[in-house]
Amino acid sequence: AQSVTQLDSQVPVFEEAPVELRCNYSSSVSVYLFWYVQYPNQGLQLLLKYLSGSTLVKGINGFEAEFNKSQTSFHLRKPSVHISDTAEYFCAVTPNFGNEKLTFGTGTRLTIIP
Amino acid sequence: DTGVSQDPRHKITKRGQNVTFRCDPISEHNRLYWYRQTLGQGPEFLTYFQNEAQLEKSRLLSDRFSAERPKGSFSTLEIQRTEQGDSAMYLCASSFLGQGTDTQYFGPGTRLTVL
């Protein structure tokens, strides 16, 4: 079984400042890792994913994440945030043997302060 | 290119009533998933289909819940004798098995409120 921990439930950040949203996971098997974003009253949109290869993954809207196997982490970063980044961010994991259910963290609410 | 669609977007019902939700996946996607999201939580897996076969059901899926995907295309999720604890956002996602990318694409969700 897998589990995901997002320690920060809320993160306030000033506009144009950098941000890091933390994600740690636990699994007895190798995994694929994902970050999804959810805007109010909408479904989830994929930001980026790690399947294999380079541990630094770039996604949409200027976000990137780094997979660290030894620390079982997959933190999300953006060098300069905008008001439009205000949303809920979810980290998720699935076993790497394909198309299995996603296990999500509890989410981090990112609030951008003008 | 249409994404995953869900109908209705909102449903308000009284306790004890039955409700049914529909999900239309991305065309050609052979896997379809249902998740439930309660306030302040991440989505939790309920069940998934490969084509018309239901391959796994979560313990969260009590006997009041039933899901079908009769022709391997759209899916329905029915909740019988609804309870206030069933109030949540029900999310559907689809993916294509075979390309190894394992990316699930989500619909906008159906928000259920049980009074």
Side-chain angles (χ1 to χ4, degrees), chain A residues 32 36 49 98-99 101-102, chain B residues 31 33 56 97 102-104:
Chain A
Y32 295 146
Y36 283 86
K49 60 188 176 185
N99 276 324
K101 60 190 177 187
L102 289 167
Chain B
R31 286 212 172 184
Y33 302 78
E56 185 175 349
L97 174 65
D102 302 288
T103 298
Q104 294 181 28

Side-chain angles (χ1 to χ4, degrees), chain A residues 2 30-32 34 36 49 51 93-103, chain B residues 28-33 35 45 47-51 55-56 93-105:
Chain A
Q2 292 74 43
S30 296
V31 296
Y32 295 146
F34 304 81
Y36 283 86
K49 60 188 176 185
L51 303 181
V93 63
T94 188
N96 74 345
F97 36 86
N99 276 324
E100 299 291 334
K101 60 190 177 187
L102 289 167
T103 299
Chain B
E28 305 304 321
H29 276 192
N30 48 18
R31 286 212 172 184
L32 187 148
Y33 302 78
Y35 293 85
F45 169 78
T47 187
Y48 85 95
F49 294 82
Q50 181 169 318
N51 299 314
L55 297 187
E56 185 175 349
S94 70
S95 68
F96 182 73
L97 174 65
Q99 294 182 341
T101 56
D102 302 288
T103 298
Q104 294 181 28
Y105 296 89

